[in-house]
């Protein structure tokens, strides 16, 4: 049996698709050693190229590095999102961490549309984020894993998606997943791709839907079959399994059995999808991407957003995926989010002088977007515009 302690640590890391805190561990992409790449070809995991302009409702959530020229400007995709309105983006709650990271790095997070995340046809800067209510539990550990981004300028010429409601009548039906995630074991996050995803379940044991049964789940995480002595009365004629460092030869079995039985889909808030014949496989970077089905009039309906999955020794992502769906409170949250107004209106971050008062909009690194101001006269000063960027401050 492979070392269970290290394997279990990797198991926790393998349950989400970007670097996040999950159930007490730091999640990241599996190491090269853990992937054991075995020649998987691109279409198995990634589906098909998504170049149609109608898919411009779906864009990449990227870090923007601005250079002196267009050639020196670069985009680094982090997640996927979909426009609910020209300036409101639907995505996964865990993808909102990129907004804070951009603020700390003094860079910009943008929503960019177009089939190539590195060369978008249009983009807009993210100025605020909102998280859906419900912050505990769920496969990602974030509760209801749904959030929105607010943009500084509307992407008026792009398509939008509408919200769809999932019922049992949609079970075993085929949907389409869209995202900018990894398309094979060695690719980068660049191209928009789409693929079929079959809706498997709305409730029940998450790992049962992903792996099929406990035996397959145990074998994937340990590399071995379940020791017979751990599931049946001890047989004195059967050699006991080698004791682990903790002393209990069945420690791996007990821990994984408890994880398997206790990890449940959040009813009305999570969906298990994928692994049917012909289905694609979402992966890192597809987080936040919508689960789509065309409506009666051809409009794009989003029934959920990519939340998490697992990897195996063969594939960096494998066994289908979990999508966050839109329960009643999340649906209300999303409807209200499209009516969000910018508290700073058109007030720039560099600020303005209004008499003796200096006023500016807060930056992403300063927390929630808001207007900050000071009456310089209270310090015996006046408002002045100073510095290379002509920023407002109090001076003499």
């Amino acid at each position: 049996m492979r070392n269970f302690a290290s394997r279990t640590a990797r198991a926790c890391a393998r349950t989400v698709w970007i670097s996040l805190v999950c159930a007490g561990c730091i999640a990241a992409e599996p190491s090269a050693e853990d992937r054991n790449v075995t020649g998987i070809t691109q279409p198995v995991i990634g589906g098909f190229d998504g170049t149609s302009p109608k898919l411009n409702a779906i864009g990449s959530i990227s870090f923007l590095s601005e250079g002196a020229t267009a050639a020196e400007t670069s985009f680094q995709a982090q997640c996927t999102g979909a426009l609910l309105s020209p300036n409101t983006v639907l995505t996964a709650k865990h993808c909102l961490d990129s907004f804070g990271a951009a603020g700390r790095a003094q860079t910009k997070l943008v929503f960019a549309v177009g089939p190539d995340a590195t060369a978008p046809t249009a983009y807009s800067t993210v100025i605020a984020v909102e998280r859906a209510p419900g912050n505990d539990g769920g496969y990602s550990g974030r509760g209801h894993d749904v959030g929105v981004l607010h943009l500084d300028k509307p992407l008026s010429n792009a398509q939008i998606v509408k919200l769809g409601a999932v019922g049992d009548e949609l079970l075993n039906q085929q949907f389409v997943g869209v995202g900018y995630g990894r398309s094979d074991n060695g690719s980068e996050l660049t191209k928009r791709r789409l693929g079929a995803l079959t809706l498997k379940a709305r409730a029940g044991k998450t790992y049962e839907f992903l792996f099929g049964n406990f035996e397959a789940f145990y074998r994937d995480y340990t590399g071995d079959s379940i020791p017979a002595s751990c599931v049946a009365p001890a047989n004195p004629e059967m050699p006991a399994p080698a004791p682990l460092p903790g002393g209990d030869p069945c420690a791996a079995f007990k821990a994984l059995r408890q994880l398997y039985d206790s990890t449940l889909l959040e009813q009305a808030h999570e969906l298990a999808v994928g692994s049917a014949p012909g289905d694609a496989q979402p992966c890192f970077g597809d987080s936040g991407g919508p689960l789509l089905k065309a409506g009666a009039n051809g409009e794009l309906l989003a029934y959920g957003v990519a939340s998490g999955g697992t990897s195996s020794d063969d594939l960096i992502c494998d066994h289908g995926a979990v999508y966050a769906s839109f329960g009643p409170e999340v649906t209300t949250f999303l409807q209200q989010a499209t009516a969000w107004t910018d508290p700073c209106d058109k007030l720039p971050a560099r600020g303005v002088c209004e008499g003796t008062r200096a006023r500016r909009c807060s930056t992403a690194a300063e927390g929630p977007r808001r207007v900050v101001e000071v009456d310089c006269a209270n310090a015996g000063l006046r408002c002045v515009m100073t510095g290379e960027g002509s920023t407002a401050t109090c001076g003499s």
Side-chain angles (χ1 to χ4, degrees), residues 164-254:
V166 180
D168 287 342
E169 73 279 2
L170 295 178
L171 289 172
N172 301 314
Q173 289 196 24
Q174 197 175 81
F175 291 73
V176 172
V178 184
Y180 291 80
R182 301 282 293 269
S183 59
D184 57 34
N185 275 330
S187 66
E188 300 297 328
L189 278 60
T190 57
K191 303 295 185 181
R192 184 173 61 201
R193 295 175 67 79
L194 76 161
L197 291 172
T198 301
L199 177 58
K200 298 167 69 174
R202 301 176 59 218
K205 296 180 181 179
T206 306
Y207 288 118
E208 187 168 74
F209 297 117
L210 295 179
F211 289 89
N213 53 57
F214 177 69
E215 289 73 18
F217 172 75
Y218 184 92
R219 190 180 305 110
D220 184 81
Y221 281 115
T222 66
D224 290 298
S225 299
I226 299 172
S229 60
C230 294
V231 294
N235 183 346
E237 297 180 0
M238 180 182 295
L244 297 178
D248 183 354
C250 295
F253 169 81
K254 293 175 182 176

